[in-house]
Amino acid sequence: MSKTTTISFAALSPVKQGAVVILAERGPVLSPAGKALDKASGGAVMRAAKQREYKGKKKTFLDILVPEKLGLSRLLVVGADELKDYGDREWLELGGVIRGKLSGRDGQGVTLVLERPKKPHESGGEEAAQVALGVMLRGYSFDKYKTKAAKNKKDSDNNATHLERLTIQCANPAAARRAFAARKALGEGVILARDLVNEPANILGPREFAARARKLDGLGVKVQVLDEKALKKLGMDALLAVGEGSAKPTMMAVMNWQGAGPKGGKPVAIVGKGVTFDTGGISIKPAASMGDMKGDMAGAACVVGLMHTLGARKAKVNAVGLIGLVENMPSGTAVRPGDVISSMSGQSIEVLNTDAEGRLVLADVLWYAQEQFKPKCVVNLATLTGAILVALGKEYAGLFSNNDELSENLSKAGETAGEKVWRLPLGPKYDEMIKSEIADMKNIGGRYGGSITAAQFLQRFIQNDTPWAHLDIAGTGMAAPKSDVNTSWGPGFGVRLLDRFIADNFEK
Ligand code: BES
Ligand code: MN
Ligand code: ZN
């Protein structure tokens, strides 16, 4: 991962050096600091605004060279439209947008003056913390394999954007600092998830992935890693079948965070698909963009990132994260199309396509999660189907659930966090599509409704009415389009969504 920017908070006071960033709302109406600078520069700011017809629209900028006597290297006006309309997501994006305009060339002293132009009394620290998180997330890049770019040198092409330090001035810096402690934990979790998704599969196999999960021990998260022998003993033949063709071992990692203590009751369980590489197995995928399948562990990456966040911010919740780690390879020992395998639940599965492996992984890990923890609810994340990309593109993750309330809560959390989910149906007619001639079920449902039949398959491993939701993140979890808060291939999707979901529903 890239070096992160050191962010600190300070009280509002005139900025006398370095680069300064100020806000403008519609008009433009400058913030008090902006007005002061405009005055000190003999009206240079408003003159430039007029000349360039600058209106303070969201995500627009006015970049000004100020008179030397002010001592500033740069004055950047950031348009924000109407800040009264801002929620968490907008503040986050504002931070990202601002970070995108800054670079190492702005030197050491960048100060962001976070004042509301149209509302003199500022609110608490939440907004500043959210802006800081946006800065943190936008600044991320995965550059560990770039040997030629002299890292962090501000004149090197690859690292021209590294920003060493940012001071955020705001009305209540103490509150901002407090709020950012939790947001920073979240930022770290997202970045951890991105690092895992971006990492190539020769470096990050099941064993290495488990080792990264194990590191959460240091935060007070209890981590247990089960090897093939232990999985076999538990009867996890579905998970094991996926790894049979690979030279790498299959594993499961269980991360337990008891932040609410024994009184907190049963945990929330979060389950992730961790296929460290998906060739398709004997039902091999075409060569074009198979390389993307290093990201087929984005669900598991999200779970590790989330558990990091919960531990690092000492979340008052009991939560357990479980990930199935396995590589799907073709070989003489690989599972074949037509094979019938067993599962921990006792149900038999006819494997008609070895590329529909994610559901086999989840079948056993979901079952184990319920047997072992009797959780309040289970949410799983998986880059499960290409069909979800056909249905929803890269804008929404697919949501499938047996529980309306859980669905609602996830949808709401997604809206606030800016990681959106869209619910799709389940039903008995879809379930019929995975009936097998010779086993309890088959692992493919035919040409139509591929994301739904995959979800139906998972639902067969959910015990009587455990509230359960499945997020299909094949479209949102990897190969991400660039956004205000992410420019990396691996977006770390789901960490913000689930952190918000847990904070809003289990910590209050
Ligand atoms: N990992 C893939 C799904 C995927 C596709 C993730 C594109 C990210 C981007 C999954 O294991 C898979 O191969 N699914 C098959 C299922 C089919 C064989 C029923 C698919 O979507 O084609
Ligand atoms: Mn596959
Ligand atoms: Zn897969």
Side-chain angles (χ1 to χ4, degrees):
M1 96 166 132
S2 49
K3 272 192 76 189
T4 48
T5 302
T6 304
I7 300 170
S8 53
F9 299 91
L12 296 164
S13 77
V15 184
K16 300 252 162 63
Q17 60 183 11
V20 59
V21 184
I22 57 163
L23 302 185
E25 290 187 85
R26 268 297 173 132
V29 177
L30 300 180
S31 63
K35 282 185 181 136
L37 285 165
D38 185 44
K39 198 168 165 208
S41 63
V45 182
M46 288 310 283
R47 206 157 49 239
K50 193 159 193 181
Q51 218 161 49
R52 298 181 218 167
E53 292 179 34
Y54 184 76
K55 306 276 187 243
K57 260 174 64 181
K58 207 177 194 171
K59 300 182 190 180
T60 64
F61 301 90
L62 197 55
D63 209 342
I64 296 171
L65 256 178
V66 284
E68 207 179 341
K69 61 170 187 189
L70 292 182
L72 301 175
S73 58
R74 182 183 181 191
L75 173 59
L76 183 66
V77 181
V78 180
D81 274 338
E82 305 294 344
L83 290 171
K84 65 173 168 39
D85 301 334
Y86 275 37
D88 264 8
R89 183 164 44 89
E90 287 79 9
W91 287 107
L92 180 82
E93 286 171 1
L94 178 66
V97 163
I98 291 170
R99 177 63 184 86
K101 285 295 269 192
L102 299 173
S103 80
R105 291 187 186 87
D106 290 312
Q108 295 299 307
V110 181
T111 305
L112 163 61
V113 186
L114 207 62
E115 299 175 292
R116 291 173 178 240
K118 291 187 182 173
K119 186 178 161 208
H121 60 280
E122 316 284 326
S123 33
E126 290 296 325
E127 302 168 356
Q130 200 63 6
V131 170
L133 176 62
V135 168
M136 192 176 168
L137 294 180
R138 178 61 180 267
Y140 172 87
S141 67
F142 186 74
D143 52 17
K144 66 187 274 202
Y145 297 112
K146 297 267 191 192
T147 66
K148 299 227 170 85
K151 289 195 176 153
N152 307 324
K153 241 192 176 170
K154 52 182 177 182
D155 58 354
S156 98
D157 270 358
N158 276 305
N159 256 297
T161 64
H162 177 64
L163 180 67
E164 195 68 31
R165 225 176 284 282
L166 175 73
T167 304
I168 300 181
Q169 285 192 357
C170 57
N172 194 342
R177 251 171 243 134
R178 270 194 306 277
F180 187 55
R183 291 299 195 288
K184 193 172 170 218
L186 175 55
E188 288 164 4
V190 175
I191 285 172
L192 171 55
R194 287 179 183 175
D195 276 343
L196 290 167
V197 175
N198 286 321
E199 195 70 74
N202 61 324
I203 306 294
L204 192 74
R207 194 191 296 280
E208 296 76 23
F209 202 119
R212 299 249 192 139
R214 221 185 238 118
K215 281 199 198 159
L216 299 187
D217 259 330
L219 294 168
V221 178
K222 288 216 181 63
V223 185
Q224 190 194 1
V225 176
L226 287 82
D227 63 9
E228 283 182 359
K229 208 171 133 209
L231 299 175
K232 187 74 215 168
K233 210 166 150 201
L234 286 163
M236 299 178 83
D237 285 8
L239 168 61
L240 285 166
V242 175
E244 263 160 18
S246 170
K248 298 178 193 263
T250 297
M251 302 188 155
M252 177 171 71
V254 182
M255 295 153 274
N256 201 336
W257 171 250
Q258 288 283 318
K263 278 195 199 132
K266 300 293 182 205
V268 177
I270 314 289
V271 171
K273 168 182 175 182
V275 175
T276 57
F277 196 77
D278 181 13
T279 61
I282 298 297
S283 316
I284 199 162
K285 289 181 180 294
S289 68
M290 195 200 277
D292 277 356
M293 286 302 133
K294 71 171 186 178
D296 209 18
M297 27 54 71
C302 170
V303 176
V304 174
L306 176 72
M307 296 311 294
H308 172 101
T309 298
L310 297 180
R313 70 174 179 80
K314 307 231 177 313
K316 289 191 176 50
V317 65
N318 294 337
V320 59
L322 305 100
I323 53 181
L325 301 168
V326 61
E327 185 179 58
N328 188 19
M329 292 292 246
S331 91
T333 59
V335 66
R336 290 159 289 257
D339 285 0
V340 174
I341 60 172
S342 182
S343 66
M344 187 181 174
S345 73
Q347 299 175 91
S348 62
I349 304 162
E350 186 185 12
V351 179
L352 287 178
N353 189 322
T354 65
D355 197 11
E357 87 296 342
R359 61 200 76 182
L360 303 178
V361 173
L362 292 170
D364 277 344
V365 183
L366 285 168
W367 193 263
Y368 177 88
Q370 295 163 94
E371 287 289 288
Q372 191 71 20
F373 297 101
K374 306 286 172 220
K376 280 195 184 99
C377 66
V378 182
V379 179
N380 76 257
L381 302 100
T383 46
L384 203 63
T385 65
I388 204 69
L389 273 145
V390 177
L392 299 174
K394 289 174 178 250
E395 189 57 18
Y396 285 84
L399 161 66
F400 301 84
S401 181
N402 60 2
N403 185 293
D404 293 345
E405 193 188 338
L406 176 58
S407 264
E408 274 298 304
N409 291 339
L410 284 165
S411 300
K412 267 187 224 143
E415 286 294 334
T416 354
E419 292 185 321
K420 295 181 290 187
V421 299
W422 193 264
R423 192 176 184 184
L424 293 166
L426 291 164
K429 285 289 172 201
Y430 294 114
D431 190 67
E432 277 175 23
M433 293 166 75
I434 54 170
K435 273 188 181 162
S436 159
E437 296 275 330
I438 64 165
D440 295 334
M441 70 195 86
K442 56 184 179 181
N443 77 330
I444 46 171
R447 192 165 147 64
Y448 301 120
S451 301
I452 304 176
T453 49
Q456 287 300 157
F457 184 98
L458 300 184
Q459 194 176 14
R460 288 190 178 216
F461 297 87
I462 298 302
Q463 299 173 1
N464 28 346
D465 303 329
T466 304
W468 157 76
H470 152 53
L471 301 176
D472 193 334
I473 61 168
T476 53
M478 51 189 262
K482 298 203 185 328
S483 78
D484 292 334
V485 292
N486 178 54
T487 61
S488 143
W489 188 84
F493 183 92
V495 181
R496 285 188 282 132
L497 161 68
L498 291 178
D499 180 66
R500 170 60 50 182
F501 166 71
I502 285 176
D504 286 351
N505 296 286
F506 300 97
E507 292 185 74
K508 285 184 172 155

